[in-house]
Amino acid sequence: IYMRLDKPELPFGDIMVRQALNMAIDRKAIVDDYYGGNAVVFHYPIIPVEDFMDMYTPLEELPQSVRERYEYHPDKAEQLLAEAGYPNGFKTTLLCTSTSVDLLSIVVDNWAKIGVELELEPKEVPVWSSTVLGKRHKEMAYFYTGCSAPFKMNDFRPGNPQNSSMVDDQRCMDAYAEVMKYYPLEEAKARQVIKEISKYIAEQAWVVDLPHSYSYVVWWPWVKGFQGESSVGYYATYNYLSFIWLDQELKKAMGY
């Protein structure tokens, strides 16, 4: 969930508000009840996949203020809102797709308990996508993140289509310039920069990152040259089809 930081009339410029919104969500309940345990709580801004683990910092190694944000503390969330000047909460809107309404209804319920009245604005996918990418969402937007391409820092560069919170932070820009200096010829150094800036990003709470479900891919053993990927390259979706083949003899031997 992205929150517009570029509109001073909105409450999201205050880190206490952002922290409150985060710790008012019962992420454990979402993992256990909505996803049946098949989800991970902490995945932003680096997803914990094999290729990125040297850049990923586990939640338990981050400061207490960050760890607490991923726990469920509605009482402290109310306290933070009061300190930020919202003792009675506030009203806000969230642009989303119709397919995300069930999940986001949990957020609506959680936030209502701390006085934040959230109105969902579900749209058809083309309208939703073009509105967010065009930075035309009014207050908040539920959108996919740039975590799969960490070196690009898409969520934190002013003007980037995926910077849906409109983050404009000099420390992030300095880190991005350093990453570009090293990547790809000195990738190890670029990875270290990403690891360090990711800790800083986690502290800022620029988004409300909900638990992320696991994805499962299954295929027949006669499908060769395939390891479960959906893309070979950046935004090269489904081009893996050019590299796979079918072992017809094995397929026939298995009775198909």
Side-chain angles (χ1 to χ4, degrees):
I1 298 176
Y2 292 89
M3 304 166 276
R4 293 198 72 133
L5 305 176
D6 61 333
K7 292 185 174 183
E9 68 272 19
L10 298 179
F12 312 123
D14 192 323
I15 190 172
M16 289 192 293
V17 171
R18 303 196 299 269
Q19 290 172 330
L21 293 177
N22 270 277
M23 63 177 61
I25 292 176
D26 191 346
R27 288 176 171 82
K28 186 177 186 303
I30 293 176
V31 170
D32 294 343
D33 301 333
Y34 186 81
Y35 288 120
N38 297 301
V40 60
V41 167
F42 183 60
H43 58 87
Y44 189 87
I46 301 294
I47 53 176
V49 296
E50 183 178 353
D51 287 350
F52 297 163
M53 290 309 292
D54 60 334
M55 297 183 284
Y56 176 79
T57 301
L59 187 58
E60 57 268 22
E61 296 180 13
L62 290 170
Q64 173 62 24
S65 60
V66 179
R67 300 198 303 270
E68 190 175 52
R69 182 160 61 85
Y70 287 88
E71 299 167 354
Y72 184 44
H73 298 291
D75 292 341
K76 184 161 186 178
E78 282 188 294
Q79 178 185 339
L80 285 171
L81 286 181
E83 292 176 9
Y86 301 94
N88 300 314
F90 56 86
K91 296 181 179 180
T92 187
T93 60
L94 175 60
L95 181 69
C96 62
T97 62
S98 58
T99 56
S100 60
V101 167
D102 283 351
L103 172 61
L104 295 176
S105 293
I106 300 174
V107 178
V108 172
D109 179 69
N110 283 177
W111 284 356
K113 295 173 182 176
I114 63 167
V116 174
E117 184 179 332
L118 177 63
E119 178 185 354
L120 300 182
E121 297 184 335
K123 303 292 182 182
E124 295 181 352
V125 170
V127 175
W128 160 80
S129 180
S130 62
T131 301
V132 181
L133 291 174
K135 305 293 193 297
R136 296 192 304 276
H137 51 292
K138 291 180 290 186
E139 299 189 7
M140 309 178 86
Y142 187 62
F143 204 62
Y144 53 80
T145 75
C147 293
S148 61
F151 299 110
K152 289 180 175 289
M153 294 182 64
N154 287 336
D155 279 9
F156 316 106
R157 286 191 288 127
N160 189 280
Q162 285 185 243
N163 184 1
S164 303
S165 283
M166 269 58 85
V167 174
D168 188 356
D169 183 270
Q170 189 59 49
R171 187 165 171 178
C172 284
M173 292 307 299
D174 291 345
Y176 176 70
E178 193 172 3
V179 168
M180 291 297 99
K181 180 176 69 175
Y182 293 131
Y183 188 83
L185 297 180
E186 297 181 89
E187 185 173 327
K189 292 182 180 180
R191 285 174 173 267
Q192 186 58 38
V193 174
I194 290 291
K195 182 177 179 67
E196 294 306 314
I197 194 63
S198 295
K199 298 175 185 178
Y200 169 75
I201 291 168
E203 294 174 355
Q204 305 311 307
W206 285 321
V207 301
V208 178
D209 44 320
L210 301 178
H212 196 294
S213 63
Y214 299 132
S215 297
Y216 298 92
V217 180
V218 296
W219 61 95
W220 291 104
W222 61 74
V223 179
K224 302 298 183 180
F226 183 62
Q227 290 79 41
E229 62 271 26
S230 63
S231 172
V232 183
Y234 187 64
Y235 279 132
T237 310
Y238 300 120
N239 62 340
Y240 70 89
L241 293 170
S242 302
F243 303 97
I244 66 174
W245 71 94
L246 303 182
D247 186 332
Q248 298 290 358
E249 292 186 1
L250 178 58
K251 182 178 180 180
K252 183 177 181 180
M254 293 182 67
Y256 291 93

